[in-house]
Amino acid sequence: MSIINQSRLSDLIHQKEGPLTRELLLSPGGFGLGKVPEKNTPDAMTQMVCGFCGTGCNLNIHLKDGEGVCVTPTTEYPVNLGMACPKGWEALSVLKSPDRAISPLIKKSHNHWEPVDWDTALNLFTRKFKGIQQQYGTDSVAFLSTGQMVTEEMAFLGALAKFGMGMLHGDGNTRQCMASAVTAYKQSFGFDAPPFTYQDLEESDVLVFIGANPCIAHPIMWERVMRNSHEPEIVVVDPRKTETAMQATQHLQIYPKSDLTLFYGIAHILIQRGHLAEEFIQNHTEGFEEFAAHIKDYTIERVTNETGLSRTAIEHFAEIIHSGKRVSFWWTMGVNQSYQGVRTAQSLINLALMTGNIGRTGTGPNSITGQCNAMGSRLFSNTTNLLGGHDFLNAEHRSKVAETLSIPVDRIPTQNSWPYHKIIEGILAGKIKGLWVICTNPAHSWINQRQVRDILDRLDFLVVQDMYHTTETARHANLVLPAAAWGEKEGTFINAERRISRVKRVTRAPGQALSDFSIFKLIAQYWGCADMFSQWKSPEDVFQMMKQLTKGQPCDISGIKDYAAIEEQGGIQWPFPESDTKSLEQQRRLFEDGQFYHQNGRAKMIFSEPTKMPEAPNEQYPFILLTGRGTASQWHTQTRTKNSDVLRKLYPARIYVELNPQDASELSIKPNDWIFVESQRGRIKAQAFITQSVQPGQIFIPMHYEQTNQLTDAVFDPYSSQPSYKCCAVRVLKN
Ligand SMILES: Nc1nc2c(c(=O)[nH]1)N[C@H]1C(S)=C(S)[C@@H](COP(=O)(O)OP(=O)(O)OC[C@H]3O[C@@H](n4cnc5c(=O)[nH]c(N)nc54)[C@H](O)[C@@H]3O)O[C@H]1N2
Ligand SMILES: Nc1nc2c(c(=O)[nH]1)N[C@H]1C(S)=C(S)[C@@H](COP(=O)(O)OP(=O)(O)OC[C@H]3O[C@@H](n4cnc5c(=O)[nH]c(N)nc54)[C@H](O)[C@@H]3O)O[C@H]1N2
Ligand code: SF4
Ligand SMILES: [Mo]
């Protein structure tokens, strides 16, 4: 008998749109959660946050007959002040595509999937995963989530998978992205808390960008730097001469992965010269003496040797940091994606602490988030920490969460999940047999791709829940669940400056695609744990629960009344407890009182010796491969951006490799030649782009092309388990 009960389904999916009839269920566009805005509302416009990068620009969505038809940037929003990058302008176009998944698909044979209805799909989902759990234990099914769904969906997924379905292991694609920053902040401050607000970009007199290329990756954040009226010094630390480096007042073109040595060296110079915020160090930090003793060996000779920078450049950099009144450090993937990402991030935190550049306007050790809701996943995905920034290992935290959600406390795991790479290794070891991948595309984006694809194929059952049915990971799936996307559902995102903003439904999802929220709700029904989620009726109900969960936490948002309040105030930054008196201030930063989240209120200075590059260039593989973002118009694995005619015109269609002219000439390679790039793991063909922006002995390939991760080496930071995507040894061969 069918588990689908029409009246229950209608309750689940269409509570805002009246009863769901069988006709509606079967009609194209008949699914989705929430209400498309009324036909021609007075100004025929609504607003919401962009669904691509962590900048979190607000967009005006112009409506025709109740449907979003075009986008303009919101002028009065405190984030983007009337600006958007090409992806934002094209946000609606990418939703319309023949690649959209419009019904569940079941794999029938190699390379052959057949559409089925939701009832069949969810019966299979339940039967397979329950069967695996019965045979191999509940922890033999795991999930991989994302930084790109609305927070309410992330919370639902995490709670459903762990509390409802009994999974122990679940991680997110934010492991690829933010894990090093998260661990660095947690260890140093006692909680994962990026302290800044975007106004700091305009108010600093010295801005240091480390392993960050905001001109490409956060273009509107960069516009905020351009509005800085203090004639700032802009220092860019990057082995490549990036678009951002070209705009800098100083470019420190360091040898890859020598950042730790550089920043210890700078700390050494500042200490030697007595250029310290002694009172701040004394009153608000711990471990300074040990740190000072540790970095004694980082002489200028050592630093010049290891980084390849000149003595003058290094001394000038130290002097700029000292003479700046408001110095801010901004880092992204050039720091996080490394085998020593955590310690490198902490070397920046230490610099900010020892110079008193924290808690004041225009300062801070500031990690920039990548995905639109990376911050939401850090707090609410129930993966590495228990919902709301809590700790699975802490009995009080477990009781609080259980009580708030009205669930039995014994449903909450008392152990931490494996990180992403352990889940992958778990598949190889036969411990993980079922995997549910939601809103991420690891068969393209994960490190050492051939290996991961092979491993995915070893699963007994792989479910991929995506808005497109054509992703590289969907090609390995036993079951594809079609999801509604940004613009087709309701919820909130949290951007890089901790600002919570609204996402809305302005168009219908195609075919039978459902919001992830509705899919989770249905799965709870089919699994038989719907009672546990009886309060989880709508995204806004979940938001109200999230508020309760954060009470008393550093990320307390219990003072936010509801969705309407978020909109009225131009987004709200956490924390925002009920007692907050600064409700109307649109820019808020952390640590203004010098109090950190460790029990003694102090920030810790953490350090260790740099480690050797795991796969250094050698005779056989003499080049270092760097990877990262290519253009402002390409997004990650390109499932979305390739669907816009406008965006497609703005980036190279074919994979290319940046190569220094000196190397090109030695290898007799000419511009646009098709060449081979080979590592120990794979060999790819790419077009040569000969440019001074990379140094001799180094090459750069954007991550957006499917082939790139065939080359990368599965090496991880020991503290954060973040993959080290940005260095491995390769050779370059003429075709
Ligand atoms: N257009 C566009 N924008 C995006 C994204 C996208 O896909 N497309 N993705 C979003 C996401 S999720 C993220 S995480 C961010 C990433 O944003 P960014 O981190 O700014 O982008 P990347 O190009 O990955 O890496 C930044 C730089 O790190 C440098 N780098 C490599 N190795 C080292 C090193 O050892 N030391 C230093 N100092 N630098 C190094 C690279 O040369 C590169 O220029 O972008 C976000 N924004
Ligand atoms: N070599 C190399 N590799 C890298 C990097 C690098 O710098 N170099 N960067 C890494 C980083 S920082 C990141 S963040 C990752 C990104 O890696 P991924 O997360 O794998 O990349 P995306 O293309 O953003 O994948 C998101 C998927 O979710 C789908 N999707 C979008 N919206 C929705 C939705 O609302 N619901 C559902 N269910 N699906 C949706 C999209 O179609 C897409 O398939 O890549 C990492 N990989
Ligand atoms: S900068 Fe980021 S948030 Fe702003 S429009 Fe571009 S992709 Fe969207
Ligand atoms: Mo990322």
Side-chain angles (χ1 to χ4, degrees):
M1 200 189 78
S2 163
I3 296 183
I4 281 210
N5 166 324
Q6 292 301 320
S7 67
R8 204 166 43 180
L9 247 189
S10 94
D11 206 40
L12 295 175
I13 302 169
H14 273 264
Q15 64 272 74
K16 287 191 183 166
E17 295 205 292
L20 180 74
T21 58
R22 184 158 179 79
E23 292 70 51
L24 186 55
L25 188 73
L26 299 174
S27 73
F31 286 76
L33 180 79
K35 200 170 181 180
V36 175
E38 292 294 319
K39 271 192 178 186
N40 300 324
T41 45
D43 50 2
M45 197 259 278
T46 186
Q47 296 187 337
M48 69 165 140
V49 66
C50 174
F52 286 99
C53 88
T55 303
C57 297
N58 214 58
L59 305 174
N60 303 328
I61 312 291
H62 302 272
L63 307 165
K64 187 162 180 276
D65 298 331
E67 280 270 323
V69 285
C70 76
V71 169
T72 56
T74 309
T75 323
E76 65 277 17
Y77 210 72
V79 170
N80 51 317
L81 314 169
M83 299 172 278
C85 83
K87 295 186 295 303
W89 286 96
E90 280 296 289
L92 288 173
S93 319
V94 306
L95 302 177
K96 312 282 176 232
S97 156
D99 290 347
R100 284 300 296 267
I102 53 170
S103 83
L105 298 170
I106 291 180
K107 186 169 187 170
K108 288 291 180 188
S109 58
H110 182 65
N111 270 341
H112 180 66
W113 288 262
E114 276 177 14
V116 292
D117 60 24
W118 275 104
D119 186 45
T120 311
L122 295 177
N123 274 320
L124 183 72
F125 178 100
T126 311
R127 188 159 48 80
K128 284 289 184 183
F129 279 163
K130 282 199 172 190
I132 290 171
Q133 285 189 331
Q134 266 154 18
Q135 197 175 346
Y136 302 102
T138 51
D139 60 353
S140 60
V141 176
F143 69 100
L144 292 175
S145 106
T146 183
Q148 296 179 64
M149 285 187 315
V150 294
T151 318
E152 294 77 355
E153 292 177 339
M154 283 177 189
F156 204 156
L157 169 62
L160 171 65
K162 290 202 168 172
F163 312 153
M165 300 167 67
M167 292 187 208
L168 173 60
H169 302 301
D171 201 0
N173 67 359
T174 35
R175 179 72 60 186
Q176 306 170 332
C177 183
M178 302 316 310
S180 295
V182 170
T183 310
Y185 280 138
K186 266 192 191 163
Q187 292 181 346
S188 297
F189 297 160
F191 195 79
D192 171 24
F196 62 98
T197 184
Y198 289 154
Q199 193 189 16
D200 293 325
L201 293 163
E202 296 182 17
E203 300 296 342
S204 287
D205 54 14
V206 176
L207 298 110
V208 188
F209 289 90
I210 311 98
N213 188 10
C215 286
I216 294 296
H218 299 91
I220 304 307
M221 223 180 271
W222 182 254
E223 292 297 330
R224 298 293 297 265
V225 178
M226 295 293 94
R227 288 166 54 97
N228 186 312
S229 59
H230 306 284
E231 290 180 35
E233 287 282 352
I234 301 175
V235 183
V236 168
V237 183
D238 197 308
R240 295 191 305 136
K241 195 171 183 61
T242 59
E243 296 75 359
T244 312
M246 288 177 202
Q247 312 260 333
T249 54
Q250 193 184 9
H251 176 204
L252 299 174
Q253 197 163 10
I254 53 164
Y255 189 73
K257 304 295 160 283
S258 65
D259 305 64
L260 198 50
T261 307
L262 172 65
F263 298 121
Y264 286 166
I266 297 294
H268 180 56
I269 296 174
L270 292 171
I271 291 173
Q272 272 185 327
R273 295 181 182 170
H275 292 166
L276 299 171
E278 279 173 15
E279 223 181 280
F280 189 89
I281 296 173
Q282 184 78 28
N283 296 332
H284 301 290
T285 69
E286 128 181 17
F288 176 72
E289 297 303 327
E290 294 83 347
F291 177 57
H294 174 80
I295 58 175
K296 273 210 177 80
D297 298 342
Y298 290 80
T299 59
I300 192 105
E301 291 73 27
R302 175 171 178 186
V303 181
T304 50
N305 272 343
E306 291 182 21
T307 62
L309 300 173
S310 71
R311 174 184 276 266
T312 331
I314 294 165
E315 289 186 334
H316 181 58
F317 181 35
E319 188 49 37
I320 290 177
I321 293 178
H322 165 60
S323 55
K325 299 210 165 28
R326 296 165 164 191
V327 183
S328 52
F329 301 88
W330 306 84
W331 82 84
T332 321
M333 292 310 119
V335 171
N336 288 352
Q337 289 171 345
S338 156
Y339 54 88
Q340 50 187 359
V342 172
R343 290 293 181 260
T344 307
Q346 284 165 332
S347 70
L348 297 167
I349 293 175
N350 293 351
L351 276 181
L353 291 170
M354 64 193 270
T355 56
N357 279 301
I358 191 161
R360 295 185 292 114
T361 306
T363 65
N366 303 330
S367 143
I368 305 172
T369 55
Q371 304 170 75
C372 49
N373 202 18
M375 186 74 77
S377 89
R378 283 153 81 158
L379 296 179
F380 291 104
S381 63
N382 211 26
T383 52
T384 43
N385 57 59
L386 177 57
L387 286 173
H390 292 97
D391 185 354
F392 282 105
L393 308 184
N394 181 321
E396 259 175 57
H397 285 186
R398 291 196 301 271
S399 309
K400 175 184 164 190
V401 170
E403 218 167 282
T404 313
L405 301 181
S406 312
I407 60 167
V409 72
D410 61 9
R411 297 301 303 174
I412 301 184
T414 54
Q415 289 173 51
N416 284 321
S417 159
W418 280 340
Y420 203 127
H421 72 292
K422 292 276 177 210
I423 294 178
I424 302 291
E425 287 168 18
I427 303 172
L428 196 58
K431 295 199 170 126
I432 301 283
K433 296 281 190 182
L435 186 69
W436 182 16
V437 174
I438 307 100
C439 197
T440 182
N441 187 11
H444 176 139
S445 59
W446 190 248
I447 201 157
N448 191 1
Q449 188 182 94
R450 281 223 187 124
Q451 190 186 42
V452 78
R453 289 182 177 193
D454 170 60
I455 291 175
L456 289 176
D457 286 336
R458 292 167 190 246
L459 285 159
D460 284 2
F461 200 63
L462 172 65
V463 179
V464 172
Q465 184 168 319
D466 204 285
M467 61 186 281
Y468 303 104
H469 66 96
T470 47
T471 72
E472 288 91 344
T473 313
R475 284 186 228 145
H476 295 257
N478 300 97
L479 174 66
V480 177
L481 299 178
W486 170 95
E488 298 165 348
K489 54 187 182 179
E490 304 278 324
T492 55
F493 285 159
I494 313 180
N495 78 353
E497 51 161 5
R498 312 180 315 283
R499 187 179 302 277
I500 302 169
S501 299
R502 282 280 279 119
V503 174
K504 292 183 196 164
R505 185 179 188 221
V506 292
T507 184
R508 281 181 189 282
Q512 298 186 28
L514 288 175
S515 70
D516 293 287
F517 194 91
S518 298
I519 300 174
F520 301 142
K521 189 119 203 170
L522 281 170
I523 288 173
Q525 290 279 343
Y526 278 72
W527 197 267
C529 60
D531 289 352
M532 198 181 275
F533 300 98
S534 58
Q535 294 178 58
W536 303 56
K537 290 198 186 76
S538 68
E540 193 159 11
D541 292 336
V542 174
F543 183 77
Q544 291 299 337
M545 281 190 281
M546 283 161 38
K547 280 170 51 180
Q548 301 307 316
L549 280 170
T550 60
K551 267 194 182 163
Q553 285 289 90
C555 58
D556 192 334
I557 52 166
S558 56
I560 303 176
K561 187 163 168 274
D562 52 17
Y563 277 179
I566 294 174
E567 284 191 66
E568 273 155 29
Q569 300 199 12
I572 299 177
Q573 288 171 295
W574 68 258
F576 191 64
E578 280 164 314
S579 57
D580 206 313
T581 50
K582 295 177 172 179
S583 54
L584 294 174
E585 284 181 32
Q586 281 194 328
Q587 303 284 344
R588 292 182 298 132
R589 61 187 61 75
L590 303 179
F591 311 127
E592 283 174 329
D593 57 1
Q595 287 303 301
F596 296 89
Y597 303 116
H598 285 300
Q599 262 190 344
N600 62 6
R602 291 170 181 270
K604 285 189 185 153
M605 296 214 178
I606 302 173
F607 51 87
S608 49
E609 235 358 68
T611 37
K612 263 180 47 198
M613 198 180 273
E615 194 183 63
N618 50 58
E619 219 172 282
Q620 251 193 316
Y621 298 98
F623 287 86
I624 295 183
L625 168 67
L626 304 171
T627 65
R629 275 74 200 156
T631 67
S633 301
Q634 285 164 296
W635 181 257
H636 292 163
T637 71
Q638 290 270 55
T639 62
R640 286 199 268 172
T641 37
K642 74 165 188 242
N643 288 302
S644 149
D645 294 341
V646 175
L647 296 180
R648 267 204 316 277
K649 291 199 181 92
L650 298 175
Y651 63 78
R654 287 181 295 197
I655 184 168
Y656 62 95
V657 44
E658 294 185 8
L659 183 70
N660 185 274
Q662 190 182 311
D663 292 326
S665 135
E666 274 170 27
L667 294 162
S668 313
I669 292 169
K670 291 187 294 305
N672 297 325
D673 276 358
W674 282 95
I675 58 176
F676 290 112
V677 182
E678 212 174 280
S679 77
Q680 289 199 69
R681 295 152 294 278
R683 168 192 244 218
I684 68 169
K685 218 171 162 184
Q687 227 172 350
F689 175 30
I690 298 170
T691 166
Q692 293 283 0
S693 68
V694 287
Q695 303 185 67
Q698 296 168 28
I699 61 168
F700 174 80
I701 309 180
M703 64 157 302
H704 313 295
Y705 303 95
E706 187 179 343
Q707 302 91 317
T708 311
N709 275 318
Q710 287 180 28
L711 301 170
T712 48
D713 184 20
V715 168
F716 305 90
D717 179 284
Y719 308 101
S720 69
S721 301
Q722 180 155 351
S724 182
Y725 283 113
K726 287 182 167 31
C727 79
C728 69
V730 292
R731 60 177 166 230
V732 174
L733 304 166
K734 211 170 136 64
N735 193 355

